[in-house]
Structures are given as C-alpha cells and as structure tokens.
C-alpha cells in the first residue's frame, strides 16, 4: 500500500505540474492572440487615417493641410496627456486606499486559547472564516477505492432474482 500511495502522490504531482504547464501555455497563447489582434487593429486604423489624410490633402490647399495636421497632433498630445494623468491619479488613489485599508492582523485576530500564535498562524486566521487552502492533488486513489467498494456491494440482476 505504501508503494502504491507513493506512486499515486508522484502521479498527482506530475498531473499538477502538467496542468500548470497547460495553464501557462494557454495564458501565453491568449496574450499572443490579444497582441496580434491589437497590432492588426492598429494597422487597420493607420490605413484608414492615411486614406482620410489623402482625401483631405486633395480637398484643401497645402497651408491649410499643414495647419490641420498640426491641430490634430496637438489634440492627440493633449488627450494622451490627460489620459495618462487620469491613470496616474487613479493608481495613486488605489495605492493610498490599499495602504489605508491595511490593518494590523494582531488587532483583527483575537486569540481565545491559551496557546501563543505565530505570525504565520495570525496571517492565515486574518484571511477570514471562508479561507481554505486548495488541494494540490486530486484524491484519485480514494475515489477509485470508494467506487470499487460501492460496485462490490451491488448484486448482479440475476443474483438478486435468485434471492427473491
């Protein structure tokens, strides 16, 4: 039984490692797809801008065209700066909020027992009542054993008819 348990733990570790690799590959593939999509969208928008630029250039004289291009560039720069400032403010606000929300775990965890709690125990208790550590392996051996025991108790239809 010990050898079987060691082998099943080894298999569970391999499965967990394989699942992790699959998840990492899927995440990387999704990131590649999003980058590719954004690149193609940028190319399409750039082409549309060039077409519009050519149409405007055909309609207006050279001086007006230069003024229009300069105005568009100024507008783009202003909007881009405003957006960056907005994101910086939001990030600073979130950082301040996170700092102010950090509460000393020693004040939130009340030890009712006579035992002293270590820092790790206090950190885990601070996570709340619904915190649970996820299992690193699926108990396949236990499931197989339970199914075999249940199947062993089931009588075949012919045996059930003979007993009645």
């Amino acid at each position: 039984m010990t050898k079987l348990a060691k082998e099943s733990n080894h298999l569970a570790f391999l499965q967990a490692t394989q699942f992790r690799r699959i998840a990492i590959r899927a995440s990387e593939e999704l990131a590649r797809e999003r980058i590719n999509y954004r690149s193609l969208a940028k190319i399409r928008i750039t082409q549309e801008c060039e077409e519009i630029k050519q149409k405007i250039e055909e309609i207006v004289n050279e001086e007006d065209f230069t003024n229009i291009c300069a105005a568009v560039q100024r507008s783009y720069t202003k909007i881009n700066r405003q957006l960056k400032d907005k994101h910086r403010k939001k990030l600073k606000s979130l950082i301040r909020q996170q700092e102010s929300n950090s509460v000393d775990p020693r004040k939130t965890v009340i030890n009712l027992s006579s035992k002293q709690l270590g820092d790790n125990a206090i950190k885990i208790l601070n996570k709340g009542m619904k915190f649970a550590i996820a299992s690193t392996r699926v108990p396949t051996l236990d499931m197989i054993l339970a199914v075999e025991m249940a199947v062993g108790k089931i009588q075949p239809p012919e045996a059930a008819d003979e007993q009645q």
Side-chain angles (χ1 to χ4, degrees):
M1 180 66 182
T2 307
K3 183 178 179 182
L4 184 59
K6 286 180 183 176
E7 289 176 3
S8 68
N9 285 339
H10 179 69
L11 290 174
F13 173 75
L14 285 177
Q15 288 175 346
T17 305
Q18 290 171 345
F19 290 143
R20 230 178 269 121
R21 283 186 196 140
I22 290 169
I24 289 169
R25 273 190 249 133
S27 175
E28 289 171 350
E29 189 62 33
L30 180 63
R32 274 192 221 102
E33 180 185 334
R34 297 303 301 164
I35 290 169
N36 190 23
Y37 175 78
R38 294 290 180 195
S39 297
L40 293 175
K42 185 177 178 182
I43 290 169
R44 191 186 81 248
I45 291 170
T46 304
Q47 290 172 346
E48 289 175 9
C49 288
E50 286 299 318
E51 291 172 5
I52 292 170
K53 189 176 175 181
Q54 287 175 356
K55 288 179 184 177
I56 293 172
E57 197 172 16
E58 291 172 3
I59 296 171
V60 299
N61 62 34
E62 190 174 327
E63 184 181 340
D64 290 340
F65 179 73
T66 306
N67 291 337
I68 291 170
C69 287
V72 168
Q73 186 61 38
R74 282 192 306 271
S75 176
Y76 168 78
T77 304
K78 181 181 175 184
I79 291 170
N80 195 21
R81 191 175 342 110
Q82 288 173 345
L83 189 61
K84 282 184 180 182
D85 290 343
K86 181 180 177 182
H87 286 158
R88 283 188 186 116
K89 285 179 186 176
K90 185 175 182 178
L91 180 62
K92 286 179 184 178
S93 169
L94 289 171
I95 289 171
R96 264 185 274 132
Q97 184 181 14
Q98 188 176 20
E99 288 171 355
S100 67
N101 284 347
S102 61
V103 179
D104 183 20
R106 297 201 179 272
K107 293 181 181 176
T108 58
V109 176
I110 300 171
N111 186 4
L112 299 176
S113 70
S114 60
K115 294 182 181 181
Q116 289 292 331
L117 297 176
D119 287 338
N120 290 335
I122 291 174
K123 287 179 185 175
I124 290 172
L125 289 170
N126 194 38
K127 294 188 181 284
M129 295 290 288
K130 293 186 178 181
F131 177 74
I133 298 172
S135 176
T136 57
R137 71 174 193 93
V138 178
T140 51
L141 191 60
D142 297 336
M143 285 192 264
I144 292 171
L145 182 62
V147 170
E148 287 177 350
M149 289 176 64
V151 169
K153 292 180 181 179
I154 297 174
Q155 296 178 354
E158 301 88 29
D161 291 339
E162 291 173 8
Q163 285 183 352
Q164 292 178 358

